[in-house]
């Protein structure tokens, strides 16, 4: 996952939610482009340590370089945008390609170049919405609900699903 356009303070909460949503719904890691944000990194790393799994986070790398390196290693790029092709119309093409995917979301106005560099510009409806919501819907369609069965090994705690209480199992 690549987060472009992150602004200090103003976007901290939403960028954190982008990262946590990516992690919970099956992504392997996130890059916050262009700005080092040690606070967001620390928050996400703390959640990953507590709840387990392998999720990488880094910040500060220029977005062009992230995309160029990704493509250089044979990966494909999906840019989520309200202006893109409809998710139901392109998801089969995306899922048929057996390559690692870099999913790009923005914050403020996205540089036009991103539209050209992406292999797919994909809309989750053609209405403006939150990048967190767009990412969640995309990942659920892409991974076909498999995130519900994903395991997060080596955590300190694990939530036990419950009908009527908050239940947490602590690792022994
Ligand atoms: C809150 S929007 C701001 C978009 C900005 N106003 C612009 O015109 O580029 C932030 C990000 O959410 C994502 N997004 C918003 N609506 C979307 C939609 N309907 N489908 C897919 N992604 C969307 C895009 O990644 C976008 O860069």
């Amino acid at each position: 996952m690549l987060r472009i356009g992150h602004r200090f303070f103003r976007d901290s909460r939403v960028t954190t939610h982008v990262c946590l949503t990516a992690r919970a719904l099956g992504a392997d890691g996130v890059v916050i482009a262009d700005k080092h944000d040690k606070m967001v990194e620390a928050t996400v790393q703390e959640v990953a340590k507590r709840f387990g799994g392998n999720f990488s986070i880094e910040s500060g790398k220029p977005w062009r370089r992230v995309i160029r390196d990704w493509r250089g290693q044979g990966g494909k790029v999906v840019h989520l945008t309200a202006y893109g092709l409809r998710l139901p119309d392109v998801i089969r093409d995306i899922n048929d390609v057996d390559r690692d995917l870099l999913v790009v979301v923005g914050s403020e106005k996205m540089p036009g170049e991103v539209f050209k560099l992406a292999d797919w510009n994909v809309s989750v409806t053609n209405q403006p919405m939150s990048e967190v919501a767009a990412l969640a819907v995309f990942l659920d369609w892409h991974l076909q609900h498999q995130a519900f069965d994903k395991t997060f090994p080596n955590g300190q705690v694990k939530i036990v699903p419950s009908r009527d209480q908050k239940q947490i199992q602590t690792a022994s």
Side-chain angles (χ1 to χ4, degrees), residues 80-82 105-107 109-110 122-125 127-129 131 134:
L80 296 181
T81 167
V105 297
S107 167
K109 195 167 163 26
M110 196 61 121
V122 178
S123 58
V124 178
T125 80
Q127 303 299 321
M129 67 163 72
E131 51 271 46

Side-chain angles (χ1 to χ4, degrees), residues 40-92:
V40 172
E41 279 192 25
T43 304
V44 174
Q45 279 162 350
E46 181 54 34
V47 170
K49 185 174 158 200
R50 198 164 139 73
F51 288 93
N54 300 306
F55 188 78
S56 67
I57 176 161
E58 60 177 300
S59 64
K61 200 168 165 183
W63 66 262
R64 273 190 200 82
R65 189 168 355 130
V66 177
I67 293 178
R68 195 188 59 212
D69 290 355
W70 191 268
R71 294 179 62 104
Q73 287 164 16
K76 295 283 185 183
V77 177
V78 169
H79 169 216
L80 296 181
T81 167
Y83 304 96
L85 297 177
R86 290 161 29 91
L87 175 65
D89 296 341
V90 290
I91 192 65
R92 194 170 295 173

Side-chain angles (χ1 to χ4, degrees), residues 2-15:
L2 173 63
R3 163 69 152 166
I4 294 181
H6 170 68
R7 296 159 291 186
F8 285 117
F9 308 116
R10 185 171 169 178
D11 285 333
S12 291
R13 190 172 150 79
V14 177
T15 298

